[in-house]
């Protein structure tokens, strides 16, 4: 059998706003960074649904299938629902890359953007508070452990004390950001996939900036060009290093890349 190009599928949550496509910009950027891959996009909630995308990809007999969960927190959607969907739909081995929040190098990437931002537009690192915004769940009593780990890593890299985890839902609420700091200069970083309603409306409404405050809300991290570079570098290091030269599928030769969902 002749195999088509390997495929990388971005898996995102989806958006209530049908005009929004979380992961869409990342897909475009990865097309440029990974020309040897077909790059697709599927949603767990929305269209195109990831099940339909996987079925279409399998029909083309790709050389390998990689999934990238564009999720920053530790979500049951990634740990339970996604594997179940894959097993129901697809028979080929599928490799799941680290989710966005667990991607090696993410804290350093965030620290670099923060440092660059604080060096412009009148910001002062000693007088600016940094807030990493995640979606969260209403039942959360605290952010997911990997999110607090990201915050601690960024604080260590930047040697910066005033950096906090906040969430749209659950604790700690973004609406209460003023209770966490006495500073009135703040930089907000949405750890989210795309510029849907949460980033366009919910976050600005929750921040509710006042005239005496210097507030900046960055674009969601899922749209950053730096994330596409980070992911492409990870894929190239781990996938191309075990490239098969016999012309068969690499599925049995890439075990160190990521867990396989269809093998025992």
């Amino acid at each position: 059998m002749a195999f088509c190009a390997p495929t990388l599928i971005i898996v995102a949550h989806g958006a209530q706003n049908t005009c929004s496509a979380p992961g869409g910009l990342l897909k475009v950027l990865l097309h440029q960074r990974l020309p040897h891959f077909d790059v697709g996009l599927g949603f767990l909630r929305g269209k195109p649904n990831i099940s339909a995308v996987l079925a279409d990809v399998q029909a083309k007999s790709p050389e390998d299938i990689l999934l990238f969960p564009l999720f920053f927190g530790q979500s049951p959607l990634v740990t339970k629902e996604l594997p179940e969907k894959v097993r129901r739909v697809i028979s080929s081995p599928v490799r799941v890359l680290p989710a966005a929040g667990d991607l090696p190098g993410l804290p350093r990437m965030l620290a670099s953007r923060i440092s660059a931002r604080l060096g412009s537009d009148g910001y002062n690192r000693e007088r600016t508070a940094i807030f990493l915004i995640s979606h969260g769940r209403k039942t959360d009593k605290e952010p997911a452990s990997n999110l607090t780990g990201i915050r601690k890593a960024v604080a260590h890299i930047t040697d910066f004390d005033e950096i906090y985890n906040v969430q749209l839902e659950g604790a700690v609420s973004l609406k209460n950001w003023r209770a966490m700091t006495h500073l009135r200069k703040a930089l907000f970083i949405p750890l989210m996939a795309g510029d849907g309603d949460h980033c366009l409306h919910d976050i600005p409404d929750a921040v509710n900036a006042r005239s005496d405050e210097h507030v900046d809300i960055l674009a969601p991290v899922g749209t950053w060009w730096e994330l596409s570079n980070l992911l492409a570098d990870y894929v190239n290091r781990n996938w191309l290093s075990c490239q098969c030269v016999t012309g068969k599928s690499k599925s049995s030769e890439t075990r160190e890349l990521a867990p396989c969902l269809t093998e025992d």
Side-chain angles (χ1 to χ4, degrees):
M1 177 183 293
F3 291 96
C4 297
T7 298
L8 188 156
I9 303 173
I10 302 165
V11 185
H13 181 280
Q16 295 180 344
N17 184 348
T18 57
C19 296
S20 176
L25 181 56
L26 180 62
K27 176 184 174 182
V28 172
L29 294 171
L30 286 174
H31 268 301
Q32 301 169 3
R33 290 300 314 274
L34 295 171
H36 44 294
F37 274 83
D38 286 334
V39 181
L41 174 63
F43 302 118
L44 289 168
R45 300 284 188 276
K47 295 181 180 180
N49 187 268
I50 186 60
S51 296
V53 173
L54 285 169
D56 181 63
V57 167
Q58 180 173 245
K60 299 176 182 177
S61 299
E63 188 177 6
D64 218 343
I65 301 173
L66 309 181
L67 301 183
F68 174 62
L70 187 52
F71 289 78
F72 291 90
Q74 294 166 332
S75 170
L77 293 175
V78 176
T79 58
K80 295 181 180 180
E81 184 170 328
L82 178 58
E84 290 172 358
K85 285 182 178 288
V86 171
R87 292 188 179 101
R88 286 199 300 265
V89 173
I90 203 163
S91 59
S92 305
V94 175
R95 311 293 168 179
V96 181
L97 301 168
D102 298 318
L103 195 61
L106 180 73
R108 190 165 295 279
M109 181 196 82
L110 295 172
S112 178
R113 174 72 78 99
I114 289 170
S115 297
R117 194 71 186 92
L118 293 182
S120 63
D121 291 348
Y123 280 92
N124 184 307
R125 59 178 294 119
E126 285 77 23
R127 297 181 180 180
T128 305
I130 308 296
F131 294 89
L132 303 179
I133 308 171
S134 51
H135 185 281
R137 294 175 291 179
K138 294 180 180 179
T139 56
D140 286 349
K141 295 182 179 180
E142 60 184 13
S145 59
N146 78 307
L147 296 173
T148 58
I150 291 171
R151 173 183 58 78
K152 292 177 181 178
V154 172
H156 175 74
I157 295 168
T158 59
D159 192 25
F160 197 77
D161 294 328
E162 292 258 4
I163 180 167
Y164 305 96
N165 289 109
V166 289
Q167 304 197 118
L168 278 175
E169 297 185 359
V172 178
S173 174
L174 171 60
K175 292 181 179 180
N176 298 329
W177 70 271
R178 292 182 181 86
M180 304 172 72
T181 179
H182 69 281
L183 301 175
R184 288 301 168 257
K185 287 188 177 182
L187 185 64
F188 295 88
I189 303 173
L191 297 176
M192 297 184 179
D195 53 355
D197 286 342
H198 289 320
C199 292
L200 292 176
H201 304 293
D202 297 341
I203 291 177
D205 289 348
V207 171
N208 191 23
R210 300 170 181 169
S211 59
D212 63 334
E213 296 169 338
H214 190 166
V215 167
D216 193 9
I217 304 173
L218 299 188
V221 177
T223 66
W224 292 10
W225 63 267
E226 296 99 322
L227 182 64
S228 69
N229 287 354
L230 196 66
L231 178 58
D233 289 344
Y234 180 87
V235 170
N236 283 329
R237 285 197 310 269
N238 292 275
W239 188 82
L240 293 181
S241 63
C242 47
Q243 185 171 5
C244 175
V245 295
T246 62
K248 64 180 181 179
S249 172
K250 282 192 290 302
S251 60
S252 63
E253 309 209 10
T254 57
R255 297 184 183 275
E256 73 275 19
L257 178 61
C260 177
L261 291 180
T262 58
E263 294 180 348
D264 295 330

